[in-house]
Amino acid sequence: MSRPTPLLLSLALAAVVIPAAAIRSQAGQAPSSPAHSGHTAAAPASSSTQRLPLGVQGASVIAVPPGATETSAGMTLRNPGKTPVVLTAARSSAAGHVMLMTTRRDAQGRVGMSGVKSLTVPAGGQLVLKPGGDHLMLMDLKRPLRLGERVPLVLVARDGRTLSVSATVRLP
Ligand SMILES: [Cu+2]
């Protein structure tokens, strides 16, 4: 008997390595399959934009009299991650557009709101959005908002990730 030539030896190794790699890749995919099995219909829609990993509490929109064209919205956003989340836009089907705003006191002591390009939820921290502080402003309201109804909001981060929030209309 002759010893295996290098070529035969490498073929033999390849035959062993390839099935092992195939088994590893199957094992790697296995954990994600059960998680998706219950959400087959939702998966294609959510794959286009990544969801922002923020916790949301107390999302609300301030009720305004009929005929009012704008109102403010607030909530507490918690960021459990290690990188800040920079919000650069928001939108709502109930408003023509939504502004990111901050409240500042000027040199004369007058308090006023102004639009800002971004609002940041710090890493491992929170951003409180509320009237009189940083907040969202629903502009050009498309319809009267009923007390207690839920208004859909979408927060958009600089990197394109989004978060859908349902805010309850409440008294000031
Ligand atoms: Cu405002």
Side-chain angles (χ1 to χ4, degrees), residues 101 113 135 137:
M101 296 193 90
M113 304 184 293
H135 61 278
M137 207 78 192

Short mmCIF file of all heavy atoms in Angstrom, two decimals, residues 101 113 135 137, ligand 1:
data_model
loop_
_atom_site.label_atom_id
_atom_site.label_comp_id
_atom_site.label_asym_id
_atom_site.label_seq_id
_atom_site.Cartn_x
_atom_site.Cartn_y
_atom_site.Cartn_z
N MET A 101 -38.59 70.38 19.42
CA MET A 101 -38.47 71.71 20.01
C MET A 101 -37.82 71.66 21.37
O MET A 101 -37.85 70.64 22.07
CB MET A 101 -39.84 72.37 20.12
CG MET A 101 -40.51 72.64 18.80
SD MET A 101 -41.93 73.74 18.97
CE MET A 101 -41.13 75.32 18.75
N MET A 113 -40.23 78.76 22.91
CA MET A 113 -39.88 77.49 22.29
C MET A 113 -39.16 77.77 20.98
O MET A 113 -39.48 78.73 20.29
CB MET A 113 -41.14 76.69 21.95
CG MET A 113 -42.07 76.43 23.12
SD MET A 113 -43.45 75.38 22.60
CE MET A 113 -44.33 76.43 21.47
N HIS A 135 -39.54 68.97 23.72
CA HIS A 135 -40.82 68.34 23.38
C HIS A 135 -40.96 68.18 21.87
O HIS A 135 -40.12 68.65 21.10
CB HIS A 135 -42.00 69.14 23.95
CG HIS A 135 -42.09 70.55 23.43
ND1 HIS A 135 -41.34 71.58 23.95
CD2 HIS A 135 -42.81 71.09 22.41
CE1 HIS A 135 -41.62 72.71 23.30
NE2 HIS A 135 -42.50 72.43 22.35
N MET A 137 -43.62 68.96 18.73
CA MET A 137 -44.72 69.87 18.40
C MET A 137 -45.44 69.34 17.17
O MET A 137 -44.83 69.19 16.11
CB MET A 137 -44.14 71.26 18.13
CG MET A 137 -45.09 72.38 18.41
SD MET A 137 -45.18 72.69 20.18
CE MET A 137 -46.60 73.77 20.19
CU CU B 1 -43.35 73.74 20.91
#
